[in-house]
Amino acid sequence: MICKDGIFHNFIPKDLLNRLNGGIHLLAGNHDYPVHGRIMDETKIEPYVESLFYFEGGSLVMFHYPIMDWVGRDDGVIHLYGHVHNKHIAGMEEYYADKLAFNVCMDVNDFEPKTLKELVVATGKLELYREKYGYYVKEFDY
């Protein structure tokens, strides 16, 4: 999954995207709206505003912006978001402190993709994750 403003016109050539296996989901960012028509016409990318994905043992919601409420928020559904980069927005850290929500912007994650495990550990939410997912976090033990 790639969450990046301007992905289509600046980042990855469309011929490469069309050769990738599986589904490709673009979470539209504030710089992507002018190219939505081209995305649908020229690639197999499916534009989304909010996406719910399932993985072994859980699920997550991805949205370009941080959102305050999402399907399953209180039941452990994980929220991955971007847009804010490394800005500190008043009240946001406090609001997300007891929620499985993670900023996946590159500039707050050493400019490289992170695994869910790395995000959980880096944000100090290992106990919260274990509380929600229990036996699915055996691999998180150090």
Side-chain angles (χ1 to χ4, degrees):
M1 293 176 227
I2 300 173
C3 301
K4 165 121 178 48
D5 285 340
I7 181 176
F8 184 67
H9 50 285
N10 294 327
F11 192 62
I12 299 176
K14 65 183 176 189
D15 60 325
L16 175 62
L17 289 171
N18 286 329
R19 291 187 314 213
L20 295 174
N21 293 325
I24 301 172
H25 303 277
L26 170 67
L27 293 177
N30 50 302
H31 301 289
D32 294 315
Y33 292 108
V35 296
H36 278 193
R38 281 185 31 219
I39 289 171
M40 291 183 282
D41 292 342
E42 299 176 18
T43 71
K44 65 178 189 174
I45 292 177
E46 298 179 45
Y48 283 84
V49 175
E50 178 180 354
S51 297
L52 178 63
F53 294 93
Y54 299 93
F55 62 93
E56 183 179 341
S59 54
L60 58 89
V61 167
M62 296 192 313
F63 197 85
H64 180 75
Y65 302 95
I67 53 179
M68 304 300 277
D69 193 18
W70 57 93
V71 173
R73 181 194 70 196
D74 297 328
D75 298 320
V77 173
I78 296 164
H79 171 39
L80 302 180
Y81 63 90
H83 183 72
V84 294
H85 301 280
N86 61 356
K87 297 175 188 151
H88 294 286
I89 298 171
M92 193 165 114
E93 289 179 25
E94 294 82 7
Y95 180 78
Y96 284 137
D98 64 344
K99 295 166 184 65
L100 292 171
F102 304 97
N103 183 346
V104 295
C105 288
M106 297 298 278
D107 46 358
V108 296
N109 289 296
D110 301 320
F111 292 92
E112 58 186 48
K114 299 294 183 192
T115 65
L116 179 58
K117 175 182 176 179
E118 290 169 326
L119 292 168
V120 168
V121 171
T123 56
K125 294 185 177 181
L126 186 55
E127 289 307 314
L128 178 61
Y129 188 88
R130 284 186 173 135
E131 178 185 310
K132 299 291 184 181
Y133 287 98
Y135 60 93
Y136 290 109
V137 295
K138 189 166 83 173
E139 73 278 6
F140 279 32
D141 291 332
Y142 290 136

